[in-house]
Amino acid sequence: MNTGDPTGGIQVLSDRSDQVWTKGSGKAFVCDKKSAAGSVTQRACAFCGSRVVLYPIADALHIVHGPIGCAVYNWDIRGALSSGPQLHRNSFSTDLAEKEVVFGGEKKLKASLIELIDYYKPKAAFVYSTCIVGVIGDDVEAICKVVTKETGIDVIPVDSPGFKGTKRSGYQAACEAAYRLVGTGSTENLGKYTINLMGEFNIAGEAWMIRRYFEQIGIEVVATITGDGRVDDLRRCHGAKLNLVQCSGSMTHLAKLLKDEHGIPMQRVSFFGFEDTARAIYAAAEFFGDPEIMRKAQELVRSEIAKFAPQIRDYKKKLKGKKAALYVGGAFKAFSLVLALRALGMKTVLAGTQTGSAEDYEQLKEICDEGTVIVDDSNPLELAKFVIEKDVDLFIGGVKERPVAYKLGVAFCDHNHERKIPLAGFEGMLSFAEEVAASVLSPVWKFVPRREALAVAAFEEARKGEGK
Amino acid sequence: MISGMEHKNPDLFTVSGVRVQGAPPEAATRNACKLCSPLGAAMVFNGIRGCLPFLHGSQGCATYIRRYMISHFREPVDIASSSFTEDDAIFGGARNFENGVENVIAQYSPECVGVATTCLSETIGENMIGMIKDFQKNHADKGPPLIHVSTPAYTGTHSDGYYAAIREVVAAFAEPCKERDVTRVNILPAMMSCEDLRHLRELCTIYGLEATVLPDYSTRLEGSSWGEYNRIPPGGTSIDEIKSMGDAAATIEFGHLVANRIDSAGMLLEKRSGSRRHALGWPIGIKLSDQLFTSLAIVSGKRMPESIAFDRGRVVDAYVDAHKYVSGKKAVVYGEPDLVIGLASFLSEIGIRPVVCATGSKGKGWKDLIASEIEGGMEDVLALSGADHAKIAEAAREVKPDLLLGSSKGYPLARELNVPLVRIGFPIHDRFGGQRQLSVGYRGTLALFDRLVNAVMESKQEDSKTGYSYL
Ligand code: SF4
Ligand code: SF4
């Protein structure tokens, strides 16, 4: 089908037209709704949402109750590191067979839990229900109770069958499950200045970097939730004085519970890019109102930026004027990325997310330039269409977006849970710049058909000019 | 930090960093050595021209499978879903199905839609055939054809889904023989690499045969760079071609497991059109490849061409040149059942003992199938079916193999045992180019043999104090 149109005439589905918005168009914008059937959404399911959130708790047993696929497709695919136990990197499943689908899987679940707990001695266990379990009616809650009693550890159901709402509903289910542990540990030894880092998943060790910043300025991090997570930290995280919530999509619900039930205030922050990282550190320092902490915070920010700024400036020179598209999990992250790209001299022309909330998008719309396209719950065709129409130089997304970019000869940077490079904090900004530059400035793009066609056109143009 | 633990296989330690003790858990699957059946079906649909895979069920399955295939093939893999809600799970997803397929047609203009069920839609007992009929009726039979394959993952693995989909495609489209064409042959491959598929076609050409390869995802899942966006990537076997498969002189169907089935796609073709089925193993190694070339000779009526005889000779020569590097070594092999059988045969002919032959599929007669392909008896060979990676690891710790062969999923074990892993099969997502690794036929065998011998040499070099630079 050669239409002469490089997008191949892709149209946005009418079911989704209100989820695509252009700044300056004045149109209404809708988000946080179920994916349209047949739209080939980039989203997974509610189960996936819960798995993403709880997975990094490294000393817990995570078992997926259902047929095998749901468990095996997310076996150790994420870059969430642990400084100790590695139990979370296994994939445990009840792997239901036909017999259990017909007669129920409770027995198998119970036997699985007892054996696994006995063998690996986890601090707690999470049981994720998948779609099948949602329909065959296993009483997972009851099994968890029984096993809790028999083993003496908390066995917690995560009510997340895939069809139950969107990925966001999965986040909610995960927060509910995690909250069952909160408040069950002693907070006695906690100091004066304490925080929890929420929505930090320790991708490529990011939580370790951020934790270090706070320790340097005299603030104690009680729990990183859930990156490099520990059951005992969750038990006592209600002892912290402040919650810094990074990935708000995943953690807002838990933060709210902590606020409502334990009176801990929350602040949305981001550790992505110099600006946002500095702002997050200052926010905590300000909260405690201790001038010494603020002084240390300023010193930290100053010295860190001094360390990396010159190199960033060099990259900026090379990247200036390039156009970027981004499609990530949550909108708050998209917001930070727009700023970070700006710091590199780049312009965001397409921004989208799988699970942004209305609140997130408001902020995103504000900061974007005129003409920027914003998409909610997009799909490969739409993304490709806009990549071509906007003629972007860089795409930021995850594994599922990568081929869309590469096929069209566009640079790519992975900013999802599967990446292996830390992009948070001050040094993260440097690796971000390096990563972006490594792709955007690669010499390979001149060979890709789109660029070749442009080069030929430019050549023809020049020749015509000479002929005159 | 629990020191040293981070280098170890995570299935081996308690959370306090102590080595696990006691009888290993039996009830749960720990690190599965299989994927689910809709993935296999989606692979097949990706090998049909203009076909868009559609999973009837919740959307997570489709997204996960896409993600998984993308990480192996590094190509766009679009799989639609009917995106069940809670209500659909209770009352049925007919409405979503109709709406979903309409949306797919609007966005992709597919030449056909490959519909596979997920566990959920199977469990709630969706009447797919009825729904498809209704859809077609409601659309005045104007839309693209819809192929349906039933793939409840709780009854089989991805390779079952793969073979089932081939069978359903043949059942849906292949017509009785109209006019026998002795220059044509059908190839029904196992879940092989893109390069393997290309090579099989090329071999047929050398024998003067034009092949219909079903499925043929070799260009769709390993294509060129695009100037414009292809809603459905080019390539694949066209429906017209499938319709006329009955005209072919014969059908070559790969896989020991399929060979035993009376309802395989190849058997169906044979029954419907009289085009004779040749049931072969996954052609790795000289012995199993010989069978392939024999079949090609029979079908084409031609003797083995010089060039191929020469390829065979080169394999033998390589076997001889490198035999000492590998002789007497022990290997652990895991993956799709048919691949494992092929590898067991190959290894035993080069003097490596496949001491553990494991698959995640469950099947009767697994041990006998392995035994049929390796020489020297089974006393020292452990044939594991329905195995997961934790079980494979336990067996491997006992036998202390010199190398592993299988997908990327064996890496934690390879690292723990400090032995090389020769990557083959699916998924390969910690190495580049898995989709274009050649392993079938003489040339594939040679390529695999080189990879294997080099892996052994490299590990020898790395482990040596001397740092041999001349091996
Ligand atoms: S529900 Fe079934 S089909 Fe879906 S991912 Fe899980 S195992 Fe696979
Ligand atoms: S079955 Fe449900 S829980 Fe499992 S992957 Fe599919 S949508 Fe998600």
Side-chain angles (χ1 to χ4, degrees), chain A residues 378-449:
Chain A
S378 197
N379 54 55
L381 290 192
E382 280 173 20
L383 294 173
K385 170 186 162 75
F386 292 119
V387 161
I388 295 169
E389 282 179 4
K390 298 277 171 188
D391 191 21
V392 305
D393 301 288
L394 171 74
F395 198 105
I396 298 182
V399 176
K400 290 191 298 291
E401 288 79 35
R402 188 178 60 200
V404 172
Y406 282 175
K407 267 297 167 204
L408 294 170
V410 169
F412 180 79
C413 168
D414 187 356
H415 206 301
N416 250 343
H417 275 228
E418 297 175 30
R419 72 192 146 84
K420 305 290 179 280
I421 301 167
L423 301 177
F426 299 107
E427 51 189 290
M429 184 61 197
L430 181 61
S431 25
F432 178 66
E434 279 167 358
E435 167 103 349
V436 166
S439 192
V440 171
L441 303 177
S442 163
V444 301
W445 306 120
K446 64 175 178 289
F447 298 110
V448 304

Side-chain angles (χ1 to χ4, degrees), chain B residues 153-194:
Chain B
Y154 44 76
T155 62
T157 70
H158 58 302
S159 58
D160 298 302
Y162 185 85
Y163 294 126
I166 300 179
R167 191 172 61 245
E168 293 305 332
V169 171
V170 166
F173 297 116
E175 292 168 358
C177 174
K178 280 202 204 72
E179 197 185 352
R180 184 73 58 213
D181 183 346
V182 293
T183 65
R184 279 184 61 191
V185 63
N186 302 317
I187 299 282
L188 305 179
M191 217 167 108
M192 295 164 176
S193 80
C194 296

Side-chain angles (χ1 to χ4, degrees), chain A residues 70-92:
Chain A
C70 324
V72 78
Y73 294 127
N74 54 49
W75 171 18
D76 201 24
I77 59 174
R78 307 197 180 272
L81 300 185
S82 163
S83 54
Q86 305 289 330
L87 193 60
H88 65 305
R89 302 186 61 187
N90 290 293
S91 165
F92 299 123

Side-chain angles (χ1 to χ4, degrees), chain A residues 308-387:
Chain A
F308 300 112
Q311 295 167 73
I312 299 289
R313 263 198 300 275
D314 288 346
Y315 281 118
K316 186 174 175 175
K317 264 184 231 146
K318 294 178 192 153
L319 293 168
K320 204 169 164 61
K322 301 275 185 194
K323 287 179 279 184
L326 47 100
Y327 190 74
V328 290
F332 204 61
K333 176 152 89 186
F335 182 78
S336 291
L337 275 167
V338 172
L339 289 182
L341 285 164
R342 206 170 271 163
L344 292 178
M346 297 176 68
K347 213 172 130 175
T348 305
V349 291
L350 167 68
T353 85
Q354 284 180 26
T355 61
S357 67
E359 195 186 4
D360 294 332
Y361 276 119
E362 272 321 304
Q363 227 171 343
L364 183 61
K365 283 166 157 183
E366 205 152 292
I367 153 180
C368 282
D369 299 318
E370 219 42 30
T372 300
V373 173
I374 292 182
V375 289
D376 178 57
D377 184 21
S378 197
N379 54 55
L381 290 192
E382 280 173 20
L383 294 173
K385 170 186 162 75
F386 292 119
V387 161

Side-chain angles (χ1 to χ4, degrees), chain A residues 1 24 37 44 120 127 129 178 183 197 214 217 247 249 266 314 319 414 439:
Chain A
M1 166 186 22
Y120 292 106
V127 181
S129 296
L197 279 174
F214 286 106
I217 66 173
C247 178
M266 64 172 270
D314 288 346
L319 293 168
D414 187 356
S439 192

Side-chain angles (χ1 to χ4, degrees), chain A residues 291-311:
Chain A
E292 179 57 13
I293 288 190
M294 188 46 103
R295 192 191 58 75
K296 282 191 187 153
Q298 282 163 347
E299 197 182 290
L300 172 88
V301 169
R302 207 176 305 123
S303 76
E304 289 287 325
I305 291 184
K307 222 189 299 174
F308 300 112
Q311 295 167 73

Side-chain angles (χ1 to χ4, degrees), chain A residues 1-15 34-45 47-49 51 58-60 63 67-70 72-78 82-87 89-99 101 108 111-113 115-116 118-123 131-132 135-136 162-167 208 377 379-382 384-385 388 399-404 406-409 418 447-450, chain B residues 1-2 5-6 8-17 20-39 52 54 58-61 63-68 70-72 74-87 89-90 95-97 99-104 106-109 118-121 123-124 152-156 158 222-232 362 389-390 394 397 409-410 412 429:
Chain A
M1 166 186 22
N2 197 334
T3 52
D5 166 9
T7 67
I10 299 165
Q11 299 290 328
V12 174
L13 272 180
S14 60
D15 285 5
K34 277 288 299 178
S35 308
S39 72
V40 191
T41 170
Q42 305 293 84
R43 283 179 184 162
C45 55
F47 157 70
C48 171
R51 190 83 174 103
D59 57 355
I63 182 165
I68 199 61
C70 324
V72 78
Y73 294 127
N74 54 49
W75 171 18
D76 201 24
I77 59 174
R78 307 197 180 272
S82 163
S83 54
Q86 305 289 330
L87 193 60
R89 302 186 61 187
N90 290 293
S91 165
F92 299 123
S93 168
T94 47
D95 186 4
L96 295 181
E98 192 161 21
K99 174 172 98 229
V101 172
K108 194 170 193 183
S112 300
L113 279 166
E115 284 181 349
L116 291 171
D118 189 47
Y119 198 62
Y120 292 106
K121 316 227 176 313
K123 290 278 160 54
C131 290
I132 292 294
V135 296
I136 64 175
F163 54 71
K164 233 184 177 184
T166 65
K167 202 169 166 186
W208 300 331
D377 184 21
N379 54 55
L381 290 192
E382 280 173 20
K385 170 186 162 75
I388 295 169
V399 176
K400 290 191 298 291
E401 288 79 35
R402 188 178 60 200
V404 172
Y406 282 175
K407 267 297 167 204
L408 294 170
E418 297 175 30
F447 298 110
V448 304
R450 253 158 34 90
Chain B
M1 172 98 58
I2 300 166
M5 200 173 118
E6 63 277 16
K8 300 287 171 54
N9 201 342
D11 74 13
L12 197 60
F13 290 87
T14 72
V15 293
S16 30
V20 284
Q21 276 169 4
E26 285 295 329
T29 293
R30 295 178 292 149
N31 303 333
C33 181
K34 60 179 172 185
L35 301 156
C36 67
S37 31
L39 181 138
L52 198 87
F54 186 106
S58 318
Q59 72 195 24
C61 317
T63 310
Y64 272 140
I65 290 171
R66 286 179 58 208
R67 189 228 152 261
Y68 223 71
I70 289 171
S71 78
H72 175 89
R74 297 170 189 264
E75 293 282 325
V77 178
D78 288 9
I79 301 173
S81 150
S82 35
S83 294
F84 269 43
T85 62
E86 200 152 11
D87 282 352
I90 298 165
R95 201 180 27 117
N96 271 36
F97 177 73
N99 182 231
V101 177
E102 275 167 3
N103 278 343
V104 161
Q107 280 213 296
Y108 288 89
S109 326
T118 67
C119 301
L120 178 63
S121 51
T123 307
I124 63 172
Y154 44 76
T155 62
H158 58 302
E222 197 199 340
S224 59
S225 198
W226 293 349
E228 67 175 69
Y229 200 77
N230 294 291
R231 284 187 256 191
I232 298 178
K362 282 194 184 108
H389 276 278
E394 275 149 23
R397 283 170 201 131
K409 291 302 184 193
H429 47 208

